[in-house]
Amino acid sequence: MRTDSSPGNLPAREHLPAGSAGTPVLDVVIPVYNEEKDLQRCVVRLHEHLKRTFPYAFRITVADNASTDTTPRVAALLESRIPEVHARRLEQKGRGRALRTVWSASDAPVLAYMDVDLSTDLNALLPLVAPLISGHSDLAIGSRLARSSRVVRGAKREFISRGYNLILRGSLQARFSDAQCGFKAIRRDVAQVLLPLIEDTGWFFDTEMLVLAERAGLRIHEVPVDWVDDPDSTVHIVRTATDDLKGVWRVGRALGSGSLPLDRLARPFGDDPRDRDLADVPKGLARQLVGFCVVGALSTLFYLLLYSGFRSFCGSQVANALALLVSAVANTAANRRLTFGVRGRGGAVRHQAQGLVVFGIGLALTSGSLAALNAATSSPAHSTELAVLVAANLAATVLRFLLFRAWVFPDRHDGTGDGTSSTVVASHTPAPLPYTEAAARQGGLRPPGLHRRPAPRSPYDNAVDSAYDSSVGTPYISAYGSAHAGAHDSTYDNAHDTDEFRALDAADRTRGDATAQPRPVRPHDHDPRDAR
């Protein structure tokens, strides 16, 4: 459960409208350097595919990275012949620099790029951008390493690709499967905040973008692709691998020091299910299990060392009781702080007292095991005693965890008690109440369908909002949608054009859309978008 109260800079993800005011929904960037032979074939093939299969307006942008051959002339020729093709010239090399420059200036809500060799099957393009258009995901990548992908390439490139991704998983804890596939897409609202944080201007640009996005909690969608290696690729593998390893070190150091302001990429409160505080839903079970096992292993080692020390000058029962008592106090303190995240001194004495009760249960189990061993043999070996105690402690560990989680450190939702509450406080607009006439008289609520939309955030959104407002809340900007909205509005106005409703509408305009003051989130709070 995240407890960050910052609403972040990113808006809530929403489905892009079905129509647009002349602005392309998708901008596909093709970064090139000295690609005079393949550029025309690539652009024509991509354009024909998008014309045939893509249901939205689109643009193809050729980003020339300071080519020294006739690539700029080929790009200009394509721009003059195909309306959807634009050419952009950069005087410096670098794929990352080209993507940053074009994406930062683009007005399309979804930005993508692909390599000029078109190694990736274009049938994966629509599945790549669909989650971004629908508002489901923030970024999307093609993966050559997914189980259902079909890849044709040499053993050398296969080894390098898999080795590089293993390095990312081991050093930066990356969970995405393929960092360097030249087939990616991002929402423009995410790119505007994420791109300024990326330092690399070359081939490591992709990896840095994905690592930062993942660490910030953004959603990355992976699409299995069919991919055929280009034997004429001009990529210098050794130099690229060296630069990538340098980038891994730089990003890992920045993440370790906390110098990256990843909070800028936070979504508004309620857009992430992890931000919702629900009653009777256990949270953090996996993390608590891992923490409890680590603390338990260290406590067991500590206990065995203490037992061996005490056993040198006292009997087995006394040594067991003393060792278990000392290790139980240390175990409770460690679990309180590390496993269950309880900070401060509040409730510490009570927690230790409850921990001692749990200790008594463990003592009964281990003492009973020793008693049974002594009854079975008159003089058991020291190693046998240790084995029996380890087995008894393992049996008591499961019961100890359950008691700690349910009784000693319960996950409370009422915001009271010992500081174990996980109530989240955030600044957000409260969810609208269900519309009733009584509620409308008290609070000036508007009838369903007339809630105001958020303020527009870009020229593209301005055009969409204009069409949206003209249809009085009907989110279909099409011939059918406009006609349907008109008929609906006419019926609605005739049925509700009364003094009461006009007074309610005036009261609502007087109230405005001011955001509520920060307040604790209760289990009954919900996200207004959940009603969709």
Side-chain angles (χ1 to χ4, degrees), residues 23 98 122 149 177-178 192 195 202 209 244 256 302 308 310 334 434 443 448 520 528:
T23 302
L122 292 178
S149 298
S177 64
D178 193 351
Q192 289 175 340
L195 294 181
M209 176 179 69
D244 287 347
F302 183 50
S308 298
F310 292 143

Side-chain angles (χ1 to χ4, degrees), residues 478-493:
S478 61
Y480 170 79
S482 299
H484 180 75
H488 171 79
D489 293 345
S490 176
T491 304
Y492 182 87
D493 291 340

Side-chain angles (χ1 to χ4, degrees), residues 27 36 87 92 120 173 176 289 346 382 431 439 456 458 511-512 515:
D27 191 349
E36 58 184 3
Q92 293 178 293
T120 304
Q173 288 79 49
F176 47 85
L289 276 173
H382 183 66
S458 67
R511 282 181 69 203
T515 302

Side-chain angles (χ1 to χ4, degrees), residues 4-67:
D4 181 14
S5 61
S6 172
N9 290 346
L10 293 179
R13 287 190 299 261
E14 294 182 353
H15 195 303
L16 297 177
S20 62
T23 302
V25 172
L26 173 66
D27 191 349
V28 183
V29 181
I30 304 177
V32 293
Y33 174 73
N34 290 348
E35 298 288 353
E36 58 184 3
K37 296 180 179 180
D38 297 330
L39 179 57
Q40 180 173 347
R41 175 183 57 84
C42 164
V43 172
V44 171
R45 180 183 166 194
L46 175 60
H47 179 264
E48 290 177 351
H49 177 83
L50 289 172
K51 272 289 189 181
R52 186 178 69 257
T53 64
F54 194 68
Y56 298 91
F58 64 88
R59 177 193 301 132
I60 301 174
T61 302
V62 179
D64 176 26
N65 294 166
S67 295

